Amino acid sequence: MDMRYKNIELEQKLQNILQRAIDDKYIPGANLLVLRGGQEVAYCEAGYADIEKQTLVKRDTIFRMYSMSKPVTAVAIMILVERGLIDVADPVSSYLPGFNNQHVYVDNEKVPVKRSMMIKDLLSMTSGLPYPDDSNPAGREVDHIFKEIADKLYSDKPLTTLDIANSLGQCGLSFHPGEHWMYGTSADILGAVVEAVSGMKYSEFLKKELFDPLGMKDSEFYIPKEKLDRFAKLYEYIDGRYEELKTENLGVIYPVAKTPAFESGGAGLISTINDYSRFATMLINNGELEDVRILAPKTVEYLISGELMPWQQEDLSKGWESLYGYTYGNLMRIMKNPGMSHVLGEVGEYGWDGWLGTYFCNFPKSDTTFLLMFQKKDAGTTGLTRKLRNVVISELSINNKTNYNR
């Protein structure tokens, strides 16, 4: 680490905010990393990865990414697009037979879709595929499949990535593809598309094409036994104390030292803050890291400039207040209008978060990466995340690199 780029004042501010969140029992433990120009500006850690064992959060603590798996899946698809193996306008049924003859719910009745679902619909979350939801018929069909996943998860015949994707393809959709925006299982389908196109398990593809080339040695779909002591526990706050929550939410196995049959492209990855920073830096460097090229600059430009159509944007804006000022594309939020947002930012910033509090953002104009990791039920993007971001963005807008190490 080059100490010339450290911003000691910024680091102390962030450390104080993190520690206050620990003291207030807002989170059990976390770490945070800020990079600029590929160099570390600030790193902070506080609290516990395992409260019972008093194991502190460290740089090599392994976290469940949940939906921060999605940007990785988008990059996997872009690798195949760049090689001419996928066209984003292709029907999903070209790769997965379960997506033939799809239907959509209209007034609680199933009718044929107006057009085939495209790969682009999956990348934009405009597919009509929901997450499990008991409040509507499409969501109930998906819920049935995820219950089957859970029932067979630890059996001799668990459902595979391809099994699940083809089953989801037979579910009734919430709307005709392209007509609306809805957060759902689209990224899981894309993981299966990668398998169908590459002829490899999704984990094998990621290891060969992304993780090994980028040196992401702790990013995978399961926890090897020798790494279990570095794995952060998942907690929920109940009656004034943190309790471990053992859950298989969205079909993702709780710590088991074997490769799962279902490798969820939308929620299944584990990683460390250092590993994910290598992925983020590759993107902000226009597809390259330390002379290893993953994507061409034009491919990255397409990846990070996704935008919804006006009628789709209305669904995002009305349904997700924390994303005011953002549009959505290629499984990430993209800032369009910082003045509408709840957080300081800049036009063109992009990234995503995870169910348990992991958070990733690249700021191309200021060449800055912000990463935050913790594990708390139903966290997503929190007020703490926004406070930390605001401090980083305001501080770095005042000071350039030559002012660091102070």
Side-chain angles (χ1 to χ4, degrees):
M1 177 174 42
D2 193 333
M3 292 298 293
R4 290 177 300 169
Y5 295 95
K6 293 285 279 185
N7 186 321
I8 305 303
E9 183 178 326
L10 171 62
E11 193 170 72
Q12 190 58 58
K13 286 180 182 178
L14 297 172
Q15 185 70 46
N16 291 342
I17 295 169
L18 267 190
Q19 189 58 54
R20 187 161 61 247
I22 304 295
D23 295 342
D24 292 344
K25 294 185 170 56
Y26 188 76
I27 54 173
N31 59 14
L32 180 155
L33 180 63
V34 181
L35 306 172
R36 198 170 201 190
Q39 300 295 327
E40 184 174 310
V41 173
Y43 171 77
C44 306
E45 58 190 36
Y48 296 99
D50 186 324
I51 296 172
E52 292 75 20
K53 293 182 179 179
Q54 297 285 283
T55 304
L56 298 172
V57 170
K58 297 292 184 184
R59 275 183 181 267
D60 64 353
T61 297
I62 298 171
F63 298 89
R64 299 164 190 80
M65 295 294 102
Y66 267 90
S67 286
M68 254 172 62
S69 305
K70 290 179 170 72
V72 175
T73 294
V75 168
I77 291 293
M78 288 302 118
I79 290 171
L80 297 176
V81 167
E82 194 171 272
R83 294 174 185 175
L85 298 174
I86 282 180
D87 170 11
V88 298
D90 282 340
V92 179
S93 58
S94 298
Y95 308 101
L96 301 172
F99 284 76
N100 282 306
N101 304 314
Q102 286 192 287
H103 288 74
V104 59
Y105 279 100
V106 177
D107 298 326
N108 290 323
E109 297 291 331
K110 275 186 174 182
V111 301
V113 292
K114 294 178 182 177
R115 66 159 174 82
S116 297
M117 184 188 298
M118 301 185 298
I119 299 295
K120 175 71 170 175
D121 294 313
L122 298 173
L123 288 164
S124 302
M125 292 283 179
T126 58
S127 65
L129 284 164
Y131 271 131
D133 185 351
D134 284 337
S135 69
N136 61 80
R140 284 192 289 272
E141 285 198 43
V142 172
D143 185 55
H144 177 77
I145 290 173
F146 274 86
K147 284 177 178 174
E148 185 181 1
I149 295 170
D151 289 343
K152 297 181 178 179
L153 201 58
Y154 300 106
S155 72
D156 292 335
K157 293 185 177 180
L159 297 180
T160 67
T161 307
L162 285 168
D163 291 337
I164 292 163
N166 281 307
S167 294
L168 288 170
Q170 292 299 294
C171 292
L173 301 176
S174 294
F175 50 79
H176 289 284
E179 290 195 351
H180 291 280
W181 182 91
M182 176 189 285
Y183 198 58
T185 59
S186 293
D188 293 315
I189 308 306
L190 289 170
V193 169
V194 172
E195 290 200 351
V197 173
S198 68
M200 305 166 68
K201 287 193 67 176
Y202 189 40
S203 58
E204 293 169 355
F205 180 88
L206 291 181
K207 180 175 171 59
K208 178 184 176 184
E209 301 291 348
L210 264 176
F211 298 156
D212 281 355
L214 292 178
M216 297 170 65
K217 62 185 186 302
D218 290 320
S219 299
E220 44 205 322
F221 285 99
Y222 74 107
I223 297 290
K225 290 180 180 178
E226 65 273 15
K227 296 183 181 181
L228 278 171
D229 62 340
R230 293 198 279 128
F231 197 36
K233 284 186 176 180
L234 162 57
Y235 289 101
E236 61 178 331
Y237 196 65
I238 301 175
D239 297 330
R241 63 188 297 270
Y242 277 109
E243 295 184 8
E244 184 180 8
L245 174 63
K246 295 183 178 180
T247 177
E248 285 81 34
N249 186 38
L250 297 179
V252 177
I253 60 171
Y254 207 74
V256 172
K258 68 173 184 178
T259 305
F262 175 36
E263 296 175 339
S264 168
L269 284 173
I270 61 164
S271 193
T272 63
I273 202 163
N274 280 349
D275 264 20
Y276 212 96
S277 74
R278 297 184 69 79
F279 172 76
T281 302
M282 176 275 294
L283 288 179
I284 211 165
N285 286 348
N286 293 312
E288 185 177 20
L289 178 68
E290 297 170 358
D291 297 324
V292 173
R293 180 159 291 284
I294 302 298
L295 293 173
K298 277 294 177 184
T299 312
V300 175
E301 181 182 339
Y302 178 84
L303 174 73
I304 66 173
S305 59
E307 185 169 358
L308 295 172
M309 295 296 185
W311 61 90
Q312 299 162 347
Q313 181 68 38
E314 188 174 339
D315 295 309
L316 177 67
S317 298
K318 286 184 176 180
W320 211 321
E321 286 190 8
S322 66
L323 291 182
Y324 282 178
Y326 292 93
T327 188
Y328 188 91
N330 298 318
L331 305 180
M332 293 186 289
R333 62 177 181 272
I334 299 97
M335 179 70 86
K336 295 292 291 183
N337 191 327
M340 292 181 179
S341 180
H342 293 163
V343 68
L344 300 182
E346 62 182 38
V347 174
E349 66 165 79
Y350 60 88
W352 199 239
D353 62 13
W355 175 51
L356 305 179
T358 54
Y359 185 94
F360 149 58
C361 193
N362 270 348
F363 302 84
K365 289 188 176 181
S366 58
D367 201 7
T368 300
T369 296
F370 175 94
L371 288 165
L372 175 66
M373 304 280 183
F374 62 89
Q375 304 278 266
K376 178 184 175 183
K377 181 188 176 186
D378 296 333
T381 299
T382 66
L384 171 65
T385 308
R386 290 189 290 271
K387 289 174 184 176
L388 292 164
R389 261 192 54 144
N390 287 344
V391 170
V392 169
I393 294 303
S394 58
E395 177 75 15
L396 296 187
S397 68
I398 297 170
N399 299 291
N400 60 36
K401 294 179 190 175
T402 57
N403 297 121
Y404 291 179
N405 195 20
R406 57 185 176 77

